[in-house]
Amino acid sequence: NAPANGSSFALGDNISFDADATDAEDGNIADDIDWTSSINGDIGSGASFSTTGLSGGTHTITASVTDSGGNSNSDSISITVTDNAPTVTINSPADGSSFAFGDNISFDADATDAEDGNIAGDISWTSSSNGGIGSGGSFSTTGLSGGTHTITASVTDSDGNPDSDSISITVTNNAPTVTINSPADGSSFALGESISFDADATDAEDNNNPLTNSISWSSSRDGNIGSGGSFNTSSLSAGNHTITASVTDSDDNTSTDSVSITVTNNAPNLNISQPSNGASFPLGANISFQPTATEAEDGNIAGDITWTSSIDGNIGSGGSFSTTGLSGGNHTITASVTDSDG
């Protein structure tokens, strides 16, 4: 009866729950209702109760009851508990600032959260070139490498909600220049296809001596994938890759260039062919389950299917099976399968 399906509440609100439960043999059994949340688990019992303890997020709220004969039924609604994310703002340095290599650069930011208050002490600072560079509301460093940095201040509140703010600064020192010639940014390749990589690298302080043989290549998904100016590989995993070519000059200044490519892999196809959607059976009937599950790389993977019921949990596995053990009620039957590439 309450709350209404689709309702929204603020974090910490006192939310009232109410339900009716009747049985032809037992009469009113509302006091036996068990209440659960898909996020918080058990949250209450009985016909009515209230709680302020729900976590932020979208909850499936389920009221379940079992009569004296062991027959069960349930009803579910969806509600949302909104949680205010923190806010982080970089005060200094100013976006677009430029510094000489070795300058002592000061960083400052504010971070507040409606529930937690001032959380500037929890800020983590990163540079797109140097990685982690500091923590807290304020710090300074002389350790930034030459080049253009995206400086990001990130914070997470006590409920796990994140926020970040970013600026761009430049540290002037003639860093090397590396340019990826191939593959082109945004390219797409089939899984197992041989992909050619090529880049150039030079440095002004090193008298423009080529640094091409010193290039290191990495993928955001697969880690190190090669070295030097040119190489081929057919071993990239399926998915979206940020390909980065990195080079370091004799002054230990590092430069990178990146492109984004996609390696495509077909996901499995799974269909339940039996029983038909909406079918009805008497309690104790021997119900047969039949699927089809194929995958372009793995072929027939029906043997890897797992079957679950929204009422009874795990009910079987594999390509086909039958059971007489389903409880009375409306079941959502789910067949799930994962291919060898996950």
Side-chain angles (χ1 to χ4, degrees), residues 251-276:
D251 296 313
D252 289 330
N253 299 313
T254 298
S255 184
T256 63
D257 190 25
S258 298
V259 295
S260 177
I261 67 172
T262 300
V263 178
T264 58
N265 184 28
N266 293 311
N269 293 312
L270 175 58
N271 293 288
I272 298 174
S273 56
Q274 186 179 342
S276 60

Side-chain angles (χ1 to χ4, degrees), residues 57-321:
T58 299
H59 298 250
T60 298
I61 303 295
T62 302
S64 304
V65 74
T66 301
D67 65 15
S68 61
N71 300 306
S72 298
N73 198 4
S74 64
D75 190 23
S76 296
I77 59 169
S78 176
I79 66 171
T80 300
V81 178
T82 57
D83 185 17
N84 294 312
T87 300
V88 58
T89 303
I90 296 176
N91 302 316
S92 63
D95 189 29
S97 299
S98 182
F99 303 88
F101 183 73
D103 277 357
N104 189 29
I105 307 173
S106 296
F107 296 84
D108 180 80
D110 296 323
T112 58
D113 180 72
E115 289 77 28
D116 299 336
N118 185 350
I119 54 174
D122 297 327
I123 295 174
S124 297
W125 297 79
T126 59
S127 156
S128 55
S129 297
N130 298 123
I133 57 172
S135 61
S138 300
F139 75 101
S140 61
T141 181
T142 60
L144 294 191
S145 59
T148 300
H149 299 251
T150 299
I151 302 296
T152 301
S154 304
V155 75
T156 302
D157 67 17
S158 60
D159 295 304
N161 299 307
D163 191 36
S164 64
D165 190 23
S166 296
I167 59 170
S168 177
I169 66 171
T170 300
V171 177
T172 57
N173 185 31
N174 291 310
T177 299
V178 58
T179 303
I180 296 176
N181 302 316
S182 65
D185 189 35
S187 300
S188 182
F189 304 89
L191 184 69
E193 183 177 349
S194 181
I195 307 173
S196 296
F197 295 84
D198 181 81
D200 297 320
T202 58
D203 182 71
E205 285 79 21
D206 293 339
N207 298 316
N208 288 314
N209 290 329
L211 297 174
T212 300
N213 291 336
S214 301
I215 296 174
S216 297
W217 297 78
S218 64
S219 156
S220 57
R221 291 179 61 89
D222 298 329
N224 293 326
I225 58 172
S227 61
S230 300
F231 71 99
N232 297 332
T233 183
S234 59
S235 62
L236 292 192
S237 60
N240 296 319
H241 297 251
T242 298
I243 301 297
T244 301
S246 303
V247 71
T248 301
D249 65 16
S250 60
D251 296 313
D252 289 330
N253 299 313
T254 298
S255 184
T256 63
D257 190 25
S258 298
V259 295
S260 177
I261 67 172
T262 300
V263 178
T264 58
N265 184 28
N266 293 311
N269 293 312
L270 175 58
N271 293 288
I272 298 174
S273 56
Q274 186 179 342
S276 60
N277 189 35
S280 180
F281 302 91
L283 186 68
N286 189 27
I287 306 173
S288 296
F289 295 85
Q290 290 277 355
T292 56
T294 58
E295 208 268 338
E297 288 75 26
D298 299 337
N300 184 349
I301 55 174
D304 297 328
I305 294 172
T306 57
W307 296 80
T308 59
S309 156
S310 57
I311 295 177
D312 296 322
N314 290 327
I315 58 172
S317 61
S320 62
F321 74 100

